[in-house]
Amino acid sequence: MSGTNNGAPGTQGYTVSDLINMALRQIGVGAMGTTASPQDISDGVMHLNGMLAQWQRKRWLVPNLVDKAFQSTGASLYYIGPGGNLDIAVRPDKIESAYARLLNGAAQTTDGDFLPVDFSADFLVPANGLDSGGQPVDYNLEIIQSYEDYASIGLKALRSWPNYVYYNPAYPFGEFRPWPIAAADVWEFHIVFKQQLPSSLSVDDCIKLPPEYWDAIMWSLAARMAPSYGQEASPTVVAMAKASLNTIRTSNTQIPTLGMPSALTPISNPFYWPGLEIQKL
């Protein structure tokens, strides 16, 4: 255990070199009184960063979702990424959900609804200090899943109440295309996406992930690095890697409530509730 603080109050974590050395020992490198070479450690760092970059694309391996917001400017296209309309370090490969907030005189936000300050008394007072008495109202945006479907929209320049969004994970800037096009200033777009995992670690960095990730990283690295040393990962290594990843899967899995198409659940239906019309299978 390195004893290096991982940035969270009262917690400790392993360093990159700790986990790489432990992984190498599972395949016989650096065991029995020997020491892993600097090249072995360097290769392990590359494997670790590559593995975490792969994990980033799997929802069940990412411990947290983030909600980020940016203001509507009346444009049909917004860029998501470093220096874009939503300025974040790395553009997400996909958005898990999205919604449009009708500000209704409330102050703008940037960090979405995962911070309770959003709905404090100060949040409801706009920058000019004049309390409009309005409350922000959120409306779900249905995600258009493919560019082919977005391309089939006949009147892309329609300006009205936003209901849909297409997200194109272009690189280095993702493209956020709401439809109909929302008016400037009165709307705020929120997107929910997977929090970025560390993928540019160096040998002395601390692994800033929940404790259950330490075991998964170590055993998965061992299985991943074994072919570099002319061997197959042992059944024990493979089994431990699967077990530790299943622990993370169990911890991170979130299953949304199953809904019914609104056409099958009219307002007169006793099972109707406000907002049901946006639910779908």
Side-chain angles (χ1 to χ4, degrees):
M1 186 79 169
S2 68
T4 304
N5 190 280
N6 73 357
T11 60
Q12 303 288 318
Y14 287 103
T15 64
V16 168
S17 60
D18 289 334
L19 293 181
I20 291 174
N21 277 306
M22 290 174 66
L24 288 171
R25 283 197 289 273
Q26 309 312 314
I27 56 176
V29 180
M32 305 298 291
T34 61
T35 303
S37 71
Q39 185 60 54
D40 292 328
I41 301 300
S42 177
D43 289 348
V45 172
M46 293 181 64
H47 276 288
L48 174 59
N49 284 324
M51 184 176 72
L52 290 177
Q54 292 291 314
W55 286 12
Q56 175 66 42
R57 301 309 180 214
K58 300 175 181 179
R59 170 67 186 91
W60 59 276
L61 282 175
V62 178
N64 188 33
L65 296 178
V66 292
D67 181 336
K68 295 291 184 180
F70 58 97
Q71 188 179 13
S72 170
T73 63
S76 62
L77 169 63
Y78 300 87
Y79 292 104
I80 312 298
N85 299 98
L86 179 58
D87 187 3
I88 54 178
V90 180
R91 69 94 175 97
D93 64 313
K94 64 180 294 186
I95 55 178
E96 307 299 324
S97 65
Y99 59 96
R101 169 167 291 171
L102 183 61
L103 291 173
N104 200 22
Q108 299 173 28
T109 62
T110 57
D111 287 322
D113 286 336
F114 292 162
L115 293 179
V117 69
D118 281 1
F119 299 111
S120 68
D122 291 338
F123 166 76
L124 298 178
V125 179
N128 61 15
L130 300 176
D131 189 352
S132 67
Q135 296 281 349
V137 182
D138 296 341
Y139 297 92
N140 178 66
L141 294 178
E142 184 171 343
I143 297 175
I144 299 173
Q145 298 294 344
S146 70
Y147 188 78
E148 291 87 346
D149 289 335
Y150 177 77
S152 68
I153 296 175
L155 187 57
K156 295 183 178 65
L158 177 65
R159 294 181 179 272
S160 182
W161 200 283
N163 287 296
Y164 299 88
V165 63
Y166 169 66
Y167 177 73
N168 178 29
Y171 188 83
F173 298 102
E175 299 175 351
F176 183 92
R177 299 175 181 268
W179 187 84
I181 300 171
D185 302 325
V186 298
W187 288 95
E188 187 176 77
F189 291 117
H190 289 246
I191 64 172
V192 178
F193 56 93
K194 299 183 292 292
Q195 186 177 42
Q196 185 69 26
L197 294 177
S199 59
S200 56
L201 295 167
S202 60
V203 68
D204 295 321
D205 287 340
C206 187
I207 303 294
K208 297 180 180 179
L209 287 169
E212 62 269 21
Y213 280 76
W214 302 338
D215 211 41
I217 288 173
M218 187 269 288
W219 289 110
S220 298
L221 267 182
R224 184 185 179 100
M225 296 178 68
S228 299
Y229 297 92
Q231 58 177 289
E232 293 292 328
S234 71
T236 299
V237 169
V238 173
M240 293 298 290
K242 288 182 177 178
S244 56
L245 289 173
N246 281 336
T247 298
I248 295 176
R249 182 196 298 269
T250 302
S251 174
N252 291 347
T253 297
Q254 299 181 25
I255 302 175
T257 302
L258 179 66
M260 292 292 289
S262 57
L264 300 180
T265 313
I267 294 178
S268 59
N269 190 297
F271 296 102
Y272 174 86
W273 68 88
L276 180 62
E277 63 275 4
I278 64 173
Q279 302 297 318
K280 62 176 184 176
L281 287 174

